[in-house]
Amino acid sequence: MRGKVLFTRGAAEKNIVVKGLPEYRHEPYAVRDISVLVKQYSQLIVKGGWQVISQQGVIYAKSADDRLKRDAMEAVGGDGSPLSYIQAASCYHHLSDYTRKGSWLSESSILDDPLVRNLDLFKEWSFGQVHRSLNPVFFYDSLLHPVVIFFSHHKEGIETIQKSIHRFDRESYALKFQQRNWAIQDRGDERSWYYN
């Protein structure tokens, strides 16, 4: 793990106000340009001539030569900073909200250590003391791929903490995403179960 940088949850938030945002709707044969969503993040851009397209509940990157790519993040560029990768991971989930499946991870569900302390103070934290930081983290893996990890808190059904891993290509913001339960609160026996 090289170049590790910890952030607060605020780093993953949209930080530019943009007018004319598209509605969350899925019209069967409509093709919509949703590139404007990327402009809400200060460190990201839509690459010249590219677009992010929503079509039949799926999002694509449309290249300058009109080819569709399945990873919409191929249309996204940035300044290469750790913050840009944190924003790109958040943007990935925001774009996913415009698909049929949607995204379970929202800005409001992302954890950091100050939020956990506040939730615990107000008796809204069921997981006891956690012996590691839950801040968003950026680093380079052993193959020099940028990686962003978010922990998120979900109260729907069984209360869980999910770990979301975003592994970016070395030369673009295209990414592979993996999510799994990191902790589960079983209110029946008032114990939390933690995973690696």
Side-chain angles (χ1 to χ4, degrees):
M1 187 184 309
R2 291 172 157 186
K4 180 177 176 182
V5 181
L6 292 175
F7 289 88
T8 62
R9 63 197 300 262
E13 294 175 357
K14 297 179 276 298
N15 59 354
I16 295 179
V17 176
V18 175
K19 294 181 180 179
L21 294 177
E23 296 177 29
Y24 293 100
R25 68 173 191 269
H26 310 294
E27 297 168 1
Y29 299 103
V31 177
R32 295 190 303 153
D33 181 357
I34 60 171
S35 303
V36 68
L37 299 174
V38 178
K39 295 177 181 177
Q40 297 176 96
Y41 300 90
S42 61
Q43 309 309 114
L44 303 179
I45 61 165
V46 176
K47 295 190 287 192
W50 288 67
Q51 293 177 314
V52 179
I53 300 294
S54 171
Q55 180 177 353
Q56 296 181 346
V58 179
I59 54 172
Y60 300 95
K62 185 177 179 184
S63 67
D65 60 358
D66 287 334
R67 287 183 293 149
L68 292 181
K69 310 274 189 168
R70 283 305 296 257
D71 187 343
M73 295 302 289
E74 286 192 50
V76 175
D79 64 8
S81 66
L83 176 58
S84 73
Y85 286 102
I86 293 285
Q87 288 185 346
S90 182
C91 181
Y92 169 81
H93 294 286
H94 191 197
L95 293 174
S96 295
D97 284 336
Y98 287 80
T99 65
R100 277 190 298 268
K101 293 190 307 184
S103 174
W104 288 100
L105 196 147
S106 66
E107 290 176 5
S108 62
S109 68
I110 295 173
L111 291 171
D112 65 6
D113 296 340
L115 177 63
V116 169
R117 282 193 294 275
N118 284 338
L119 290 172
D120 191 39
L121 180 67
F122 292 105
K123 309 287 188 237
E124 293 182 27
W125 183 251
S126 307
F127 294 93
Q129 186 176 5
V130 178
H131 298 287
R132 66 156 295 161
S133 174
L134 296 179
N135 286 333
V137 63
F138 166 86
F139 61 91
Y140 291 97
D141 68 10
S142 60
L143 297 174
L144 299 180
H145 289 269
V147 177
V148 168
I149 296 177
F150 292 146
F151 289 92
S152 55
H153 185 211
H154 304 273
K155 291 185 157 189
E156 311 83 23
I158 296 175
E159 193 172 1
T160 62
I161 299 173
Q162 292 184 335
K163 181 178 184 178
S164 300
I165 303 166
H166 310 79
R167 185 176 187 254
F168 293 87
D169 288 351
R170 280 188 287 201
E171 296 173 12
S172 78
Y173 284 81
L175 65 92
K176 294 194 177 9
F177 170 68
Q178 177 183 353
Q179 188 173 48
R180 59 188 160 96
N181 286 337
W182 187 75
I184 296 175
Q185 172 60 33
D186 184 350
R187 294 200 182 274
D189 64 7
E190 295 299 321
R191 286 178 37 185
S192 299
W193 303 93
Y194 290 89
Y195 306 96
N196 288 331

